[in-house]
Structure formats: C-alpha cells, structure tokens
Amino acid sequence: HGIERSLAEQRFDRSLVQMATGAGKTYTAVTLAYRLLRDGGFRRILFLVDRNNLAEQTMAEFQNYRAPDDGRRFTEIFAVDKLKSAGLLGSSQVVISTIQRVFKALRNEDVTTEDDPTLDDFVPNEPVTVTYNPNLPPETFDLVIVDEAHRSIYGVWRGVLEYFDAHIVGLTATPGKQTFAFFAQNLV
C-alpha cells in the first residue's frame, strides 16, 4: 500500500522498500506487479537483479505466485520473460534481467540467456552513459523494480536506471546513506 500511495501521490519518482532478509521482498514486489498490471493500467515492468542466479529465483517467484482472486499462477495471467539477445518480446509484461544485460541491450549488443560471470559480474571503472535506443525507448517500462538496491546496482549503473522514465522501486534489507539519497528519502 505504501508503494501504491507513493505512485498515486506522484511526489517522488522513486520509492524504497526496506524489509528484513527473508521477510518477503520479492513476494511483495510480485504482488505489486500483479496489482499494477491487473488494476493500475501498467503494461510492462522491469525487474532488475544484480546476479543472474537471482534472476532464476525471481522467475520462480513469479511462476509460483497465485492470484488472490482466482488462484491462477501469475505466469498464467501475465507473460514473464528474461531479457534475451533478440530484445523484448512484444508480449512480455514482466521482464527480468541484470542491469548489465539491460545495458548491453541498450547498446544493441548480444545478450545470452546463460549464466555469464564475465557479463553479470562486470562492473565498469566509471559510470556508464546511455544514449537513446529506438528498440528500447525510455517509455518501454511503466515500473522498474530494483532488487538488492543497497548494493552498487545504481552507482556506476545509474545511467541505465535513469534512462527509463518509469517509477523506480528499490528493495533492500540494509539501506545505506547513498541508497536513501538515490531514493530521495522516500522510504515506503
């Protein structure tokens, strides 16, 4: 409800969710995605993780989620895909990816579906810059969810997050000063 209130008030373009480890941050995000896609007029959501194995766990969370109104699985109602080298599928309503893969896609570079430590663990020496890509325009997503937002996912990668004009929701158990600053102190 705090995230939805923040979205409705439109005072901030970012919201931070702080929950203890194991308290269900991903489940909360999946529930939010379900509600916004079903009732909020949202069309597409990007779910960012900082490691590819977390992408698999997140995909499983979406696959196992049961809608509270009719018991169907999330993936029976909405299309959930991982970002692939071919780009986004037109039918994708939730896209799961590492920020590194999104960066490569914005640069029209190949993105493999396999776990690739040279890609997914890559951290540039300086902040990345992103230019307009007509295949992945800034309005592609209505919401960007950032898992483990306390990590440096937004540090050198900030340009990727700020490329999209979507509201950003960060999930973390342990926010630091920089995390609070990035989310404009909007703890929901």
Side-chain angles (χ1 to χ4, degrees), residues 43 106 130-144 160-167:
R43 298 171 291 106
L106 285 168
V130 179
T131 59
Y132 179 77
N133 181 332
N135 298 322
L136 201 60
E139 66 274 6
T140 301
F141 300 103
D142 299 309
L143 183 72
V144 176
V160 175
L161 291 176
E162 291 177 341
Y163 173 79
F164 297 107
D165 62 6
H167 189 94

Side-chain angles (χ1 to χ4, degrees):
H1 293 281
I3 300 168
E4 291 172 357
R5 188 170 37 256
S6 182
L7 285 165
E9 290 173 359
Q10 296 184 11
R11 291 186 5 211
F12 299 97
D13 59 356
R14 300 173 186 163
S15 302
L16 181 62
V17 176
Q18 179 183 4
M19 295 172 67
T21 301
K25 289 181 290 296
T26 306
Y27 181 83
T28 299
V30 174
T31 301
L32 174 69
Y34 174 76
R35 291 168 57 97
L36 293 176
L37 289 169
R38 186 190 69 186
D39 298 323
F42 284 52
R43 298 171 291 106
R44 185 174 283 151
I45 295 171
L46 174 62
F47 196 109
L48 289 173
V49 295
D50 65 347
R51 292 189 311 272
N52 204 32
N53 66 327
L54 290 178
E56 297 298 330
Q57 292 173 17
T58 301
M59 178 65 86
E61 192 81 36
F62 276 98
Q63 291 168 335
N64 293 327
Y65 181 88
R66 295 236 178 228
D69 47 358
D70 64 10
R72 289 185 295 162
R73 294 186 187 273
F74 189 105
T75 52
E76 293 174 326
I77 304 166
F78 302 110
V80 180
D81 298 297
K82 288 177 67 180
L83 185 64
K84 297 178 177 66
S85 59
L88 297 176
L89 297 175
S91 61
S92 298
Q93 291 165 294
V94 175
V95 177
I96 302 168
S97 180
T98 62
I99 201 161
Q100 293 91 333
R101 290 169 187 264
V102 173
F103 179 65
K104 285 187 74 92
L106 285 168
R107 295 177 55 153
N108 289 319
E109 296 176 12
D110 286 338
V111 179
T112 63
T113 54
E114 294 80 36
D115 197 17
D116 181 357
T118 62
L119 170 61
D120 297 310
D121 294 337
F122 173 71
V123 178
N125 295 328
E126 56 188 45
V128 299
T129 56
V130 179
T131 59
Y132 179 77
N133 181 332
N135 298 322
L136 201 60
E139 66 274 6
T140 301
F141 300 103
D142 299 309
L143 183 72
V144 176
I145 300 171
V146 181
D147 194 18
E148 303 294 350
H150 65 281
R151 295 190 185 152
S152 61
I153 195 167
Y154 55 83
V156 292
W157 299 109
R158 186 178 192 135
V160 175
L161 291 176
E162 291 177 341
Y163 173 79
F164 297 107
D165 62 6
H167 189 94
I168 301 171
V169 173
L171 309 173
T172 185
T174 56
K177 289 182 207 175
Q178 295 87 355
T179 309
F180 281 118
F182 181 80
F183 288 94
Q185 311 297 322
N186 188 28
L187 184 63
V188 297

